[in-house]
Amino acid sequence: MPIAATLLETVLSSLNVYGLVYLSEVAVLAIAGLFGPLLGRRAGFALLVTALLYTLVASILFLTCTPRKHVLFNGMVVIDTYTSAVLAFAAIVAILDTLAAKNVVERFGVAEPFYAIMALNLLGVLSVAYAGSEILIYISWILAAVSSYVIVGLARDSIAAEAAIKYGVMGAFATVLLLYALTLNMYLTRSLYLLPIMLPDKLTLSVFVFLVATSIGFKMGVVPFHAWLPDVYGNARPILVAVVASSAKILATLFILKLLLPPAFTTPDIVAPMIAVLAAVTMTYGNLAALAAPTPQHLLAYSAIAQAGYLLVGFAGLAHLPVTLPREAMAGVLLQVVGYAFAKSSAFIALDYYREHCGSSWSSIKGAVKINSYAALAIILSLLTLLGIPPSLGFWGKLLIAFSIVSYSPLLVLVMVVNIAISAYYYMKFAHHILFEEPSTETRKIGTLPSDLRVWTALTGALLSLILGLVLPSYALSISTIPLF
Amino acid sequence: MNVVAAFAAILVPYLASVIIAFSRWSWRSKAWFSVFILAFSFILSCLAFILEGPTMLTLHFAPSAGVYAQFRVDWLSGLFGILVTFLSLIIAIYSIEYIGEWGSTRYWLFYNFFVASMLLLIYANDLILLFIGWEGTGLASFMLISFYYDDKKEAWVGDEGRCVFGIPMWSTPTLSGLRALFFTRFGDTSTFLGIATIASFSGTTLYESIHQALHSIPVQLTPIFLLVFYLGALAKSAQFPFHEWLVTAMTGPAPVSALIHAATMVKAGVYFAQRFTPIIVESLKPNEYIGPFTLMLSLSLLTMFALASMALVSRELKLILAFSTASQLAYMLAAVYAGALAFHVEEGVAASLSHLMSHAFFKASLFLAAGAIIHRLHTRYITEMGGLAKYVRITFIAMLFAGLSLAGVPPLLGWWTKDSIVHILGLVSPLYATIALSTGMATAAYTARMIYYVFLAKPHPQHIDIREPPLLMLIPYTLLAMLTLLLGLLWPLLGILLYRIAHTHFTFDFLSLVFGAIAALLAITLTFLAYTSSRWIAANLSRLDKLYNFLYDRWYVNSLVHHVAIKPFSFLAKILRFADSVLDHTIHTLVPETTSGIGHAIRGLQSGDLRRYLFYFLAGVVATATFMALLVGG
């Protein structure tokens, strides 16, 4: 009873506008996730869209308000501008993905679970974005992880089942490691909250860093914890991968910001080299493997690994704050992850359109521009963002990341630049296949197909990743001035 | 002065060229649309000169990187802008019928693009902006010289099969376009180097910064800098030995030759000199600039004389006019240099600008008329024309007036303006004035020869049925010819006005005016006498065979350029191509093969076996843990 009373008191003491908005966000998403499936297909969709839009509006509200950081519920929840921005873009990507997948999941008869899972997935993102305590971190991990396994398995065929099983088994492994990490963090901070580390016990700290790196590395697809990724991203239904791929990177980014930055401030000499090595290995591996990708979808899968590597470079920059530029690193990570989310989900959505009509092999994608030029445009714009052509978000993200870390490790920047150069080859090969190759006879028989919702959402996402590059960089720099805790 | 109108005058033709590129209108609509646009641009540039308002406009492109775009209207750019838009309007009207349907989109696209780039060059107050306009005009020039990309024989320049020292002396439109591009680009690169020097010494490329940069450049380097900076202008204005490109540029359509290669673009170099010479004179001590300016003045005098001498023997109508253009450009440049050397730089610039204007009128008129004749007769050679005066009376009169203006016969405009240049040259040295005067005689002689061959000589039997061209072609050049007469009559008034705007005063130098008139008339009379008593010609020309060939083959400069500049470079190119193929074969086989080999090896790890994946995961965990241990331990 006294515990309940204390809890109630805590809640009531934080019931200002921010607290109310936060609670209502959680409530709306939870309602869409828990009750949506009971109300049927249409109501589920309506509830989900409402919840996503509400989350978007609420995060924009948090973005516009000052001061830039609010501590609620005794520090359980911390609302700050930077993570609000990440959350806002996560909501936009989720809206695009939902619209794109609507017809597909309804045809499969899995619309209700899909809508519910989308809401729960975003609830996971929301929890970690504003998490001030380890409990919320863990809840968010479970929400996000389980929902991704379900999404991958939604297609309900043997391929989907295999992908989901692989994802789930490896995920369970990672979850155990994360639990260990959280336990160690409790020891290090002497509390349940995400606080700066008081006891610089080097051994415990390094074990903690190692555990976080492995578990979240799994989520992002960092080499050598990536083995599930090519199979899941490469074989599952692309439109479902679009959801998983974008939300996994956003989640992992938030996890790293929350969990790895505190130790980075205390012992940068452990965290930074560790992440730098993982970054170099990851991007090189991803890019080299993408060169030999057996299908276009596998190419996108390996490119997801390579992009995780670029993000890690940004984290290495953040981990060595005295030397590197914190503002540029923070903004670079934000731009890179948002650009990635838009471009990757657009590419997967447009690929889903092609895969449905003409198959998933390299030869079937040849001359795909003749089948539907808007879908082709969406893929090509996405590839340009992933490659980092100005003025796309991908360009600014990579530029700022490289800029922030160049004084700490010029070698890592060199590796990154060489890797981007390698990636140009396979991205452009993909674009060349779509644009200039002669279509196969089967493709030619298909003729021109009308655009559906997938094509338009993919095009919107791809255009956003390109156009936002004109406005977002300066804004990202302006909100990246404060450390997160 | 109002810079907003000037800015609009630049934008409108640029927009028009984009619209034309994507439009699907008929060729007539495109042509009339362009005429309308150019008329609008003409009005705007007039407004820019007349209206009160701001004279400076600064657009901030990337302020943090120091990139601005600054435009400015002053008397020089204002007048030049009006001249350019007026002539482009008149010549556009002529082009409607001349160009017709074939290639009309290309023609009007680059015509508008050219006018816009030229205006950008004129109204810029920033070296980079000037350079962008400069290159834009170069691009348009290249595109329009090779307008007849089917290389039809009628558009060729030079006699097919004629070689000197193994180098062909004739040129096709496509070849000429490339030549123009390479010749002018050579100078442009040098000027760009000069701009970079200014930028590195002063931090910006605004015109105001040149002053500061000149102070910072080490004194012993100043002459070299000046030569490097002016080389682009020399190449653009076809000064010796760069004149070759302008000669072969005559493969373009006649209105292009009239607008770009006589009236406006080639004057960009002169404008460059007019714009920057006063700044340089103001910033430097005389002993720092006397050397380079004397050198460039000598080059101009050489060009003046050499090109006029080539015009004396040329058989192609447009070539005569091209030689004459280069020679007259040399007059204008010489006036600026001489002004600087005589410490009367404003007067030099004013004399140069007034000759620039008068030359633009009469030379455009001559080119347009020549184009009309060539168009009708389907021959480029004046020796195949003859006796046309009877059939095309108005064209004859127009060409006569324009020609007499070129020859410097009073009271036409050319007489006034050329002799004020002679006057300026006389201030520096009587020798220079003498050279200019004798070149003036040569000018009068080749003009008389041209008029004689085309209109007065024995008629060619094939061409009896020639008629006047359509009105849309006839009016423009007649109007321009009449203008040279009218402006000539009014020059005592207008000249004073122009010089006052240029912050200097007009000097009536009776000596040079009278001498100029006598020299021109004498040369014309002698030429006519020589040609009408053709026995004298026949008896004497064969004796001058060597000289004739030397002049006819353009002082062998073409062959010289080929042997001295092009041959070594093409040898270098061969070496580089070999080196490149070696690199190509190693890099483009070795690197991709290795990379894709590694890629396939990595792909092999992805077996799809979950147990194996778990093993990888564990192995990865162990590896990371080991690495961490090393980090902590070390």
Side-chain angles (χ1 to χ4, degrees), chain A residues 22 70-79 130-133 136 193:
Chain A
Y22 175 78
H70 296 272
V71 180
L72 302 171
F73 308 116
N74 271 357
M76 292 282 273
V77 172
V78 178
I79 288 172
Y130 298 143
S133 84
L136 276 177
Y193 298 94

Side-chain angles (χ1 to χ4, degrees), chain A residues 162 165-166 169-170 173-174 177 202-203 206 209-210 214 218 224-228 230-231 269-270 273-274 277-278 285 288-289 291-294 298 302 422, chain B residues 592 594-596 598-610 612-629 631-632 634:
Chain A
E162 188 192 332
I165 286 286
K166 276 179 188 164
V169 170
M170 307 279 285
F173 223 82
L177 294 177
K202 235 182 175 182
L203 185 65
S206 54
V209 169
F210 153 72
T214 39
F218 153 80
F225 319 113
H226 67 284
W228 61 277
D231 283 19
D269 48 333
I270 292 178
M274 152 111 207
V277 169
L278 285 179
Y285 182 95
L288 289 180
L291 289 176
H298 277 90
Y302 284 113
I422 294 175
Chain B
T594 319
T595 328
S596 84
I598 297 174
H600 277 101
I602 290 178
R603 264 291 306 158
L605 295 175
Q606 209 70 42
S607 60
D609 186 347
L610 183 59
R612 210 180 258 202
Y613 289 181
L614 284 173
F615 169 72
Y616 294 156
F617 196 125
L618 275 180
V621 167
V622 172
T624 320
T626 317
F627 180 66
M628 288 298 295
L631 270 182
V632 176

Side-chain angles (χ1 to χ4, degrees), chain A residues 211-377:
Chain A
L211 288 171
V212 171
T214 39
S215 54
I216 294 170
F218 153 80
K219 191 94 203 145
M220 276 175 82
V222 170
V223 178
F225 319 113
H226 67 284
W228 61 277
L229 194 145
D231 283 19
V232 175
Y233 286 16
N235 296 326
R237 179 92 198 192
I239 199 136
L240 303 174
V241 177
V243 177
V244 178
S246 53
S247 84
K249 282 279 189 303
I250 291 173
L251 272 164
T253 305
L254 291 169
F255 278 122
I256 290 192
L257 288 175
K258 295 277 177 181
L259 290 177
L260 270 195
L261 282 196
F265 277 106
T266 332
T267 49
D269 48 333
I270 292 178
V271 182
M274 152 111 207
I275 298 184
V277 169
L278 285 179
V281 173
T282 303
M283 57 194 176
T284 313
Y285 182 95
N287 280 322
L288 289 180
L291 289 176
T295 66
Q297 201 181 334
H298 277 90
L299 186 148
L300 290 179
Y302 284 113
S303 120
I305 297 180
Q307 300 281 337
Y310 305 143
L311 262 180
L312 280 186
V313 178
F315 293 129
L318 276 177
H320 216 282
L321 285 180
V323 184
T324 53
L325 306 161
R327 206 159 74 106
E328 279 73 7
M330 293 276 279
V333 166
L334 175 68
L335 297 171
Q336 170 69 13
V337 77
V338 171
Y340 169 87
F342 277 125
K344 205 58 153 201
S345 57
S346 295
F348 271 119
I349 291 168
L351 200 63
D352 190 75
Y353 175 83
Y354 281 131
R355 186 170 139 159
E356 187 174 302
H357 294 300
C358 43
S360 59
S361 65
W362 276 116
S363 63
S364 61
I365 205 92
K366 276 183 186 171
V369 67
K370 301 220 169 75
I371 296 172
N372 187 308
S373 47
Y374 292 107
L377 180 66

Side-chain angles (χ1 to χ4, degrees), chain B residues 442-496:
Chain B
T443 309
Y446 68 68
T447 313
R449 171 175 173 269
M450 177 183 78
I451 300 273
Y452 170 79
Y453 265 120
V454 176
F455 292 105
L456 307 173
K458 213 172 88 194
H460 212 269
Q462 289 169 344
H463 305 316
I464 308 293
D465 59 338
I466 180 175
R467 277 167 288 118
E468 292 283 5
L471 277 184
L472 277 181
M473 284 167 72
L474 184 65
I475 291 173
Y477 59 77
T478 318
L479 176 73
L480 289 173
M482 290 310 115
L483 267 179
T484 67
L485 177 63
L486 187 69
L487 292 179
L489 292 172
L490 295 176
W491 193 248
L493 271 175
L494 291 175
I496 291 168

Side-chain angles (χ1 to χ4, degrees), chain B residues 406-553:
Chain B
L406 167 63
V409 171
L412 291 144
L413 188 53
W415 172 61
W416 291 102
T417 55
K418 187 181 291 178
D419 290 327
S420 51
I421 290 178
V422 175
H423 161 72
I424 297 277
L425 284 170
L427 292 182
V428 184
S429 157
L431 175 68
Y432 297 159
T434 319
I435 294 175
L437 259 186
S438 38
T439 307
M441 283 185 76
T443 309
Y446 68 68
T447 313
R449 171 175 173 269
M450 177 183 78
I451 300 273
Y452 170 79
Y453 265 120
V454 176
F455 292 105
L456 307 173
K458 213 172 88 194
H460 212 269
Q462 289 169 344
H463 305 316
I464 308 293
D465 59 338
I466 180 175
R467 277 167 288 118
E468 292 283 5
L471 277 184
L472 277 181
M473 284 167 72
L474 184 65
I475 291 173
Y477 59 77
T478 318
L479 176 73
L480 289 173
M482 290 310 115
L483 267 179
T484 67
L485 177 63
L486 187 69
L487 292 179
L489 292 172
L490 295 176
W491 193 248
L493 271 175
L494 291 175
I496 291 168
L497 202 64
L498 178 80
Y499 276 63
R500 189 176 297 156
I501 296 174
H503 313 295
T504 176
H505 42 264
F506 189 50
T507 348
F508 283 98
D509 183 357
F510 283 103
L511 205 62
S512 67
L513 285 173
V514 170
F515 267 116
I518 292 174
L521 290 171
L522 187 68
I524 291 171
T525 323
L526 284 177
T527 312
F528 271 108
L529 279 179
Y531 276 100
T532 39
S533 55
S534 51
R535 258 178 304 149
W536 186 86
I537 295 260
N540 291 282
L541 254 192
S542 53
R543 248 191 282 166
L544 296 171
D545 223 14
K546 281 217 170 111
L547 177 66
Y548 176 85
N549 281 338
F550 175 68
L551 294 180
Y552 194 82
D553 293 326

